[in-house]
Amino acid sequence: MAETHAADDNLEGISNYKGPAGGWGALGAVARTVREQMKASPDTRALLQMNQPDGFDCPGCAWPDPKHTSSFEFCENGAKAVTWEATVKRVDPDFFAQYSVSELWTWSDHRLEDAGRLTEPLRYDPETDYFVPISWDEAFARAGAVLRALDDPHACEFYCSGRASNEAAFLYQLFAREFGTNNFPDCSNMCHEATSVGLPKSIGIGKGTVTLEDFDHADAIFCIGHNPGTNHPRMLSTLAAASKRGVPIVVANPMRERGLERFKSPQHPIEMLSTHATPLASAYHQVRIGGDMAMLKGMMKLVIAADALDHAFIAEHTEGIAALKADLDATSWDWIETESGLTRDAIETMAKVYIDAERVIVCYGMGITQHRHGTQNVQSIANLLLLRGNFGKEGAGICPLRGHSNVQGDRTVGITEIPTEDMLERLDAAYGIASPRAHGHNAVEALEAMREGRSRALIGLGGNLAVAMPDPEACFAAVRGLDLSVNVLTKFNRTCLLTAGETLVLPCLGRTELDEQEAGAQFVTVEDSMSMVHASRGKLKAPGPHVRSEPAIVAGLAKAAMPHTRVDWDGLVADYDRIREGIEQVYPDFHAFNRRVREPGGFRLTIPPSDRIWKTPSGKAQFIAHPSAREDGARSMLLTTIRSHDQYNTTIYSLDDRYRGVTGRRDVIFANEVDLDMLGLAHGDIVDVTTPAGRALKGFTVVKHAIARGSLAAYYPEANCLVPLDDYDPVSGTPAYKSIPVEIVRAA
């Protein structure tokens, strides 16, 4: 009995959330966030400008805007992203005079960012252990001196966050390539790199093939390994509309997520005033962590057995079907059921929905990509869609759900460590430079180079690299060992506290803020996850007179690092139309860029598979077989990292996770109740989670949850300590955040 009471004592802040996604809970959360961050500021009107034709693009997720935008086109998490950026709180010189770096290090990540917006350039003073304000000229001079002193341009890493605009990202890659390197560790490396490198081999392009309008014509929608209620909430309205017209929505996800079960739209007053919420998933299959490829193979076996193939499409447009069939024939149902955690009957019901639908969309997120076999997962989804010709027709295709609102656009305009030769030739011709041809570093390779001393400098255009990566202890030491660390940010974060030989923090404008340059007010552009490019115009006043735009900061760093640069950086920053003219020269798909992006809603980039054109070496889409791996011995529990509902990547808005019933804490491990019984554990026990290599997450509270057997979940980035830097997909380099082998025991 004493143990039961002890477990109960540990469950403070744990409850059973019974409401829908959205609803009054979402409106209440928005109201609280606005009150806490923006107080009585008149800038709360910014929410009405989000995702509007003459407003700014949401700095949150990359879900596209509908063509006919409503007057209230934003979600709870988008509102949080805006208020977090447009906060009235400031971290000014008085703040940094009050708190030393040693003291700030003891703060939580939430508290660091919640302190407010940066207002002027800062330099770390090692003699006093404080950040001190400096002028922009001094900041650029100090950074430039270190960069010019490097023995090799490849000793600098140019990290880019997906929040950067196309214009900033294009200038950034131009800076790095004139400087002499293709080192572009990028947030894509940590999320959808499996899409970027896997899909081109299957269908000739590393992007999704659907438009938002395709969801209006789909006969079935499959949602695999993603949680829209938290990570892309505006998708809920699209899924709700499909559900209302009777479209089956089949979910495969280890955890039951409220954002895939039912939804009450805050934008529809009648629904809000009723007791009704729209059901979303017509079937919910709790696939075991890491079991997606086995599930997909089972579905493909059944499609082939039913001879439900689109034979004409396969004959005209594909190659490799024979090898895929042979691999599926060699794959046993015993293996499929064991690996997926699903019964054959369950997979048969999924396959029946797929076969009965003429037009199918498959959506997926990082639950598919962040595994050692993430690229194989992505290509298996492509295989499934190819079997029935679900490319190049209305209402069908593949839909990778990107994170940051411009992470796809940054890649499109050159943030890649593996550039193509024709792109480099056009860049060199446009600017008179000589770009390097050697492939650069991705995120994992960059950290390895920093640990080994081969890289000596890090410039971060946004983001929180050292916290986002696996193995924080190793990453923190790597950054501290550098000669230079430059962070271009709206808010202070933990990576800033990893002080190098020279550490600079440079404050930049946010997406919501007015960007005035020599030619007048500027706008930037972003690309959503469905390849629509559109303008974003900030309207709010900057948090201080010393805050500069990202393009201006990139240009200042470039001029300081390369006194004899061949690029007219000042001219480009004076008028962003000139940057877009450069993008058009280097990327022909941006033809008439300045004219087309000024049209309401912007324009869509060319997606060849939408027209059944395959930019593969053979000119045909490829079935790619992946032989099933056999595992011997006892099976480990697998742990996946997850984000809370009050979190965006490493940014933690609060310590709450409403849809999972967690309030005021993040020290929890979610587990299946049957697994807990078998392990002799109880809901509320304090546990340690350890990996075979001895990595540990200690003293966490285990919470029973609707999660697949053999599966555990813990919050990111707290659980990153369980993932070594060398545990990643060998094809894409994406860390295996979503399938960590662990043992869970009661804490001593």
Side-chain angles (χ1 to χ4, degrees), residues 325-339:
K325 285 182 176 180
D327 174 58
L328 294 172
D329 285 343
T331 303
S332 70
W333 275 105
D334 178 66
W335 180 85
I336 289 170
E337 290 183 301
T338 300
E339 288 294 312

Side-chain angles (χ1 to χ4, degrees), residues 153-154 173-182 184 419-439 566-567 586:
H154 298 299
Q173 63 85 36
L174 178 60
F175 168 22
R177 291 189 165 111
E178 188 183 18
F179 186 71
T181 186
N182 286 312
F184 285 110
T420 62
E421 177 60 28
D422 59 344
M423 185 279 280
L424 293 178
E425 288 177 355
R426 290 192 296 267
L427 184 70
D428 291 353
Y431 293 99
I433 66 174
S435 298
R437 265 47 183 179
H439 287 177
R566 301 182 67 116
V567 176
V586 179

Side-chain angles (χ1 to χ4, degrees), residues 24 78 114 197 199 320 346 365-366 384 463 465 508 526 615 641 677 694 717 723:
W24 293 107
D114 188 47
V197 303
L199 278 186
M366 290 183 289
L384 177 65
L465 175 61
C508 66
V526 296
K615 298 292 186 179
T641 61
D677 288 342
V723 187

Side-chain angles (χ1 to χ4, degrees), residues 13-134:
I14 305 298
S15 62
N16 182 19
Y17 180 76
K18 297 181 179 180
W24 293 107
L27 287 183
V30 170
R32 286 191 297 274
T33 304
V34 170
R35 184 173 63 250
E36 292 166 4
Q37 296 297 329
M38 303 182 74
K39 315 268 181 215
S41 168
D43 288 343
T44 54
R45 67 185 185 276
L47 293 175
L48 299 180
Q49 299 169 354
M50 182 161 51
N51 302 320
Q52 299 302 305
D54 193 43
F56 62 91
D57 190 75
C58 176
C61 78
W63 189 253
D65 304 330
K67 287 185 177 179
H68 303 290
T69 331
S70 77
S71 60
F72 197 62
E73 183 52 46
F74 64 88
C75 65
E76 174 188 347
N77 282 22
K80 290 173 183 172
V82 170
T83 56
W84 196 249
E85 180 176 284
T87 180
V88 297
K89 300 177 183 180
R90 300 287 183 263
V91 285
D92 54 19
D94 290 341
F95 173 89
F96 288 104
Q98 183 177 359
Y99 300 108
S100 68
V101 166
S102 297
E103 182 172 354
L104 290 172
W105 183 258
T106 67
W107 289 22
S108 69
D109 292 276
H110 165 65
R111 187 182 177 190
L112 283 172
E113 292 199 44
D114 188 47
R117 287 289 299 276
L118 291 158
T119 63
E120 54 192 284
L122 301 167
R123 172 184 176 263
Y124 175 65
D125 181 358
E127 293 185 1
T128 63
D129 193 37
Y130 284 83
F131 273 98
V132 295
I134 59 173

Side-chain angles (χ1 to χ4, degrees), residues 256-334:
R256 294 197 73 91
E257 300 286 12
R258 191 53 45 87
L260 285 163
E261 293 179 314
R262 59 187 189 272
F263 172 60
K264 181 175 286 193
S265 174
Q267 300 184 32
H268 293 91
I270 294 176
E271 187 168 285
M272 289 291 287
L273 292 172
S274 74
T275 58
H276 173 74
T278 302
L280 297 181
S282 56
Y284 206 121
H285 300 279
Q286 289 186 257
V287 62
R288 183 181 180 272
I289 289 174
D292 304 281
M293 189 163 64
M295 175 191 73
L296 292 164
K297 283 194 169 192
M299 291 181 66
M300 287 187 278
K301 280 175 74 76
L302 294 165
V303 171
I304 291 171
D307 195 23
L309 307 178
D310 186 335
H311 292 285
F313 173 86
I314 290 170
E316 181 180 354
H317 291 285
T318 74
E319 293 177 338
I321 186 68
L324 180 65
K325 285 182 176 180
D327 174 58
L328 294 172
D329 285 343
T331 303
S332 70
W333 275 105
D334 178 66

Side-chain angles (χ1 to χ4, degrees), residues 159 184-195 197 289-290 365-375 377-378 411 417 441-448 464-472 475 639-642 650 695 716-717 719-741:
Y159 177 70
F184 285 110
D186 176 53
C187 58
S188 283
N189 298 145
M190 290 174 266
C191 56
H192 266 283
E193 193 67 15
T195 297
V197 303
I289 289 174
M366 290 183 289
I368 283 290
T369 60
Q370 289 182 328
H371 299 271
R372 295 164 205 84
H373 51 274
T375 302
N377 284 341
V378 170
R411 276 301 172 91
E417 72 278 9
H441 296 152
N442 62 24
V444 168
E445 292 164 341
L447 264 298
E448 290 174 343
N464 193 3
L465 175 61
V467 173
M469 288 293 288
D471 198 343
C475 292
L639 180 143
T640 182
T641 61
I642 56 174
T650 60
R695 295 174 177 274
Y716 164 98
N720 285 6
C721 61
L722 299 174
V723 187
L725 269 176
D726 60 0
D727 189 8
Y728 54 82
D729 175 5
V731 180
S732 69
T734 302
Y737 298 105
K738 298 291 192 218
S739 50
I740 310 167

Side-chain angles (χ1 to χ4, degrees), residues 525-562:
T525 61
V526 296
E527 178 186 347
D528 64 34
S529 61
M530 295 180 189
S531 302
M532 290 294 299
V533 178
H534 54 274
S536 178
R537 296 173 174 84
K539 303 292 180 66
L540 302 185
K541 185 179 178 181
H546 302 297
V547 178
R548 295 191 179 183
S549 74
E550 287 179 315
I553 296 171
V554 170
L557 290 169
K559 290 189 296 178
M562 302 176 293

